[in-house]
Structures are given as structure tokens and as C-alpha cells.
Amino acid sequence: MTGRAVIAAARRTPVAPRGGGLKDLQADELAAPVFSKLLDDAGVLGGMVDHVLLGNALYAGGNPARMAALRAGLPPTVPAMTIDTQCCSGLDAIIQGARLIEAGAARCVIAGGAESYSRAPVRMHRPTAMGKEPVVYTRPAFAPPPFDDPDLSEAAARVAARLEIGRGDQAAFAVYSHEKARAVKTSKKRVVCPGTDLVDDSFSRPLSIRAAMRAPLLYGDRETGLSAATIACEADGAAAVLIMSEDLAHERGISGLTVSKAGSMGGDPADPALVPIELVRQLLKQATFNVADINAVELHEAYAVQAMAAVDALGIPHDIFNPLGGGLARGHPIGASGAVLIVQLHDHWHMQWTQGYPENYTAMALIAAAGGLAAGVIVEASEA
């Protein structure tokens, strides 16, 4: 039986900078308590889950999805798959989970992402001949020759220079992200603390324009370059959702966010930051509304300039953009960041719903990834 996919529950860990409060936990150890809490929230037994999908970018194998599912106490009969589309991984996992539901191939799916920069393995290429030393590398290639495959920060710096987005404007954007995140810290209800003292995102802090402008310039020129304040820090964290078929959600009296439109697309590997812009245009062509009708947009802020370019190109009102703060204020746990966006939207919807408004709720999550990829999801409120 086919039908729409309903996000029935959403949870995440705090996000902590590499070497911070989550540094002792592997990616699957971060994800497992999130999975368990999702089951509790929805009143679902592990045996009702048809599939687990988990995004991860740094672990180079081992199927963290299966590890996390077993750690969470799901029956061994529940299959689990790890997805690696770099920064898009967590959101792509949710998209694929929703598609399983829509196709009638599953009625209940756990999907999300997990990443531990702190515990990621050291990467080395095997030597090509006897007597040679292994070669350490920090990242794999994201596009083969003859494609341009720049470092993502270098690519973002090119965008800043081309669009003439100055350092001061980027700094102001970062400050605003921190301000929004700090304003809602006490209202967050969906953070799961996996055996640590950390109870909330630890990176968001009071940040002034002066302090942001003093941050070291890391990429680009003096006028439009990127600094430590305008690039999301490397981080640890996990996030996931429980997706149900619409009929199962109705049977159990569960309200949630229905996946309205979802998709992924590719673009120029040399310009990955701008791919979400075209993806949004494609998704909105399939919808019956436009940006002006949306209540919230969550776009991962890997770089201030990336988010600023999308806001400007798509005409996104600032009051609906990353209303609970963005990646600049949290950090970037690569494989989890896309899933964090959906949890943020679920939290924002729930906050609005408990205050008695709005009557309708439509929101969007977007993320770009290395290699010129983007993923996006549009959700609408559903009632049991």
C-alpha cells in the first residue's frame, strides 16, 4: 500500500566541537540512544521498524547504521544501511526512508545521520610498492579529472569574491546565527544526552561583530575572505527521525510532519555551495506554493557566504531562515548535519503548535555537499 510519509518523531544529540563534550563516543554510540528515544516517543517496539538508514561520511566502512541499530536494541532481523553523500548524507537517508514508505516497501523506518570527527579514523593510502610509506590524506577526491575539485573552503571563498560578499557582512551573519541559537536554548526539548554531562549545543555563545572580525582569516582575500567565525567548526553529533506511513500514524493517533516534496540533485563540483539554489527552484515547481508561503527554512550553514548567497538568490525572508540558529552556531558533524535540519524543523513546528499557531505549517530543509551535490525536503504539518 502506497501513501505519504509522516515524520512521527525527531531527536538528536547535542552538537559539540571536535574534542569537546562528545569526544569519547563513536558515531554509532551517538546514534543508538537517539534511536531508542525515537521508539519511546512514538510508542513503537523495535520489531515494528522495517529498516534503518544512517548517513555517515568519515568512517570509511563498518556500516555504522547496523552498529547503532544493534546498540539501540533493535532486533537483529531489522536491516540497516549506511549512506555516504558527504554533507548530504543525513538528509539523503531521510529522503530514502520516506521513499521506502511512499513506495509501500515499509511502514516504519528510522533514518538520520551520525558523525564523530573526534573518533574518525586516520586516513592513509596504502603504499604502491614495497618499501614505500603509506600516504596520509585528510579527504578523498570528490570529483575526478578533468573536473575541478577544490577544497570546499576554497570554493566558498571563490563564491564570496565573485558575489562580493564582504567579511563584515559574513561576520554579522554569523553573529545573528549565534544570537538565534542562544535565544532558544532553554526551549529545546528534543536533545538526547548520550551518557555525558552535555545537555545542549556547546559551541553557540555570545559573539560580537568585533570578535567575529578579529577571527583569523583562513581563506580568500582581506575584503571577502572566510574566517574561523564564518566557517562552521568540525563537530560530533547524531540526529534521526522515525518515519511512518500515513495510515500507521493515523492508527496510532500520531501527528507529525508529512514529507511533501523531496529530492537530490547534482551541479558543478567546483561550486557546490550554490547547488541548493537550483534544487529549491525545482522543488517549488512541483509544489503549489512559493517561498513566501513557507513558515521556516533550515539551510545548513557550512559557510556564512553559502547561506547568504542562497537567502539572496531565493528571496528567503530573514525571519524564517534558520529560526533556531544555524550550523555556524552549532558546528558541522558532516554525516549528521542534514538530519539535524529536520529535527530543528520538527522542534520549530512543535514550538509553534504548542502556542496555538500557525493553522498551517510548511517548511523546508536544504544542504549542499562536496562534489557538487544538494538535498532538500519540504514538509507540511499533518494531523492524526
Side-chain angles (χ1 to χ4, degrees):
M1 178 179 181
T2 59
R4 299 201 299 174
V6 176
I7 297 170
R11 288 277 182 170
R12 69 178 179 89
T13 68
V15 176
R18 182 176 69 172
L22 300 176
K23 64 182 176 61
D24 295 325
L25 299 172
Q26 298 174 169
D28 57 281
E29 292 175 311
L30 290 168
V34 175
F35 290 1
S36 298
K37 193 62 179 175
L38 289 173
L39 298 176
D40 291 344
D41 289 346
V44 169
L45 297 176
M48 292 179 63
V49 176
D50 296 307
H51 216 303
V52 172
L53 299 166
L54 188 73
N56 180 265
L58 297 180
Y59 270 66
N63 199 3
R66 177 65 167 168
M67 292 280 289
L70 294 175
R71 283 189 190 277
L74 289 168
T77 52
V78 178
M81 178 189 299
T82 300
I83 293 173
D84 177 6
T85 48
Q86 292 297 297
C87 307
C88 289
S89 300
L91 193 54
D92 274 336
I94 292 171
I95 291 171
Q96 295 307 317
R99 286 174 174 164
L100 283 175
I101 299 289
E102 292 163 353
R107 296 187 78 203
C108 186
V109 173
I110 290 176
E115 201 74 78
S116 173
Y117 250 109
S118 299
R119 298 292 301 277
V122 175
R123 292 173 162 182
M124 305 179 79
H125 289 298
R126 292 181 181 275
T128 56
M130 293 291 293
K132 298 282 188 179
E133 293 295 322
V135 178
V136 177
Y137 68 100
T138 56
R139 72 162 179 92
F142 299 131
F147 292 98
D148 189 10
D149 183 26
D151 180 271
L152 294 180
S153 296
E154 293 174 354
R158 292 178 189 174
V159 171
R162 187 167 73 245
L163 300 181
E164 299 181 342
I165 301 176
R167 290 185 63 197
D169 290 336
Q170 294 178 52
F173 186 91
V175 168
Y176 189 37
S177 184
H178 282 268
E179 287 176 350
K180 289 185 288 186
R182 287 177 57 78
V184 297
K185 271 199 169 189
T186 57
S187 66
K188 290 178 182 173
K189 304 297 183 185
R190 284 165 173 65
V191 172
V192 180
C193 306
T196 74
D197 295 330
L198 192 63
V199 297
D200 211 336
D201 303 335
S202 57
F203 188 68
S204 54
R205 62 197 187 281
L207 180 66
S208 66
I209 291 287
R210 183 177 180 182
M213 289 298 291
R214 285 203 308 264
L217 178 65
L218 301 179
Y219 298 90
D221 56 41
R222 291 181 177 275
E223 288 72 34
T224 63
L226 282 53
S227 75
T230 59
I231 301 174
C233 70
E234 298 172 346
D236 307 330
V241 299
L242 186 74
I243 312 173
M244 287 182 174
S245 62
E246 200 167 28
D247 61 332
L248 181 59
H250 286 171
E251 284 176 18
R252 306 186 72 83
I254 294 175
S255 299
L257 293 175
T258 299
V259 176
S260 172
K261 303 294 179 184
S264 305
M265 75 179 308
D268 187 350
D271 222 359
L274 302 183
V275 181
I277 296 171
E278 183 57 30
L279 174 59
V280 171
R281 291 170 177 158
Q282 294 297 321
L283 290 175
L284 290 178
K285 281 182 180 178
Q286 306 167 28
T288 58
F289 47 79
N290 54 41
V291 171
D293 302 314
I294 292 176
N295 298 85
V297 175
E298 282 282 338
L299 187 151
H300 178 59
E301 300 165 355
Y303 304 93
V305 64
Q306 166 206 2
M308 294 169 74
V311 167
D312 182 62
L314 297 169
I316 300 172
H318 285 272
D319 61 339
I320 69 166
F321 182 78
N322 290 355
L324 307 185
L328 291 171
R330 283 191 303 269
H332 187 11
I334 298 179
S337 289
V340 169
L341 301 178
I342 295 293
V343 179
Q344 293 288 91
L345 286 180
H346 196 277
D347 201 16
H348 181 257
W349 163 69
H350 193 265
M351 291 164 62
Q352 301 289 299
W353 178 71
T354 55
Q355 296 174 41
Y357 65 89
E359 182 177 346
N360 300 304
Y361 184 87
T362 303
M364 182 185 301
L366 298 163
I367 192 165
L373 298 174
V377 173
I378 297 175
V379 294
E380 299 177 85
S382 69
E383 296 184 2

